[in-house]
Amino acid sequence: MGIPAERIDRLHNLAREAMADGDTDRAREYVRLARRIAERHRTGVPRRFRRFTCDECDAYLRPGATARVRLQSGHVSVRCLSCGATKRYRYED
């Protein structure tokens, strides 16, 4: 794991902790920083980080607090409660 990947992982943990404390603005800033690091170093953002962030408003998605999660036939639907954007991804039964 290189330095950019370590920093992205650390920022993901900080965003999760900030969201647990109820500080949505700080969590959003951590998400923005992690995405900028990934763009600057041309590395991808890990899947577990992508699944818990909104692409539209950079909010950290916490099911029940900032996101609505629904299981539909063959995919998971995640709706951001801040901006209303919806993400879908497949899952195996």
Side-chain angles (χ1 to χ4, degrees):
M1 180 181 283
I3 293 172
E6 288 177 9
R7 290 192 66 198
I8 290 170
D9 187 49
R10 177 68 179 142
L11 287 167
H12 178 251
N13 293 333
L14 288 172
R16 183 176 46 232
E17 291 171 9
M19 196 60 221
D21 293 338
D23 194 358
T24 57
D25 293 332
R26 185 180 303 265
R28 184 172 281 147
E29 189 61 32
Y30 289 143
V31 170
R32 286 185 183 133
L33 283 171
R35 287 190 178 173
R36 284 187 60 210
I37 290 170
E39 289 174 1
R40 186 180 314 129
H41 294 282
R42 295 183 183 169
T43 62
V45 178
R47 178 182 292 177
R48 64 187 175 98
F49 188 75
R50 274 193 315 242
R51 296 260 170 104
F52 289 104
T53 58
C54 178
D55 293 334
E56 302 296 323
C57 66
D58 293 330
Y60 186 80
L61 301 176
R62 185 171 176 198
T66 59
R68 187 180 73 195
V69 180
R70 298 289 186 257
L71 293 177
Q72 296 174 352
S73 59
H75 67 274
V76 178
S77 177
V78 181
R79 178 176 286 264
C80 176
L81 297 179
S82 298
C83 67
T86 303
K87 292 185 353 182
R88 293 178 186 89
Y89 52 93
R90 297 176 77 65
Y91 74 93
E92 299 295 324
D93 288 334

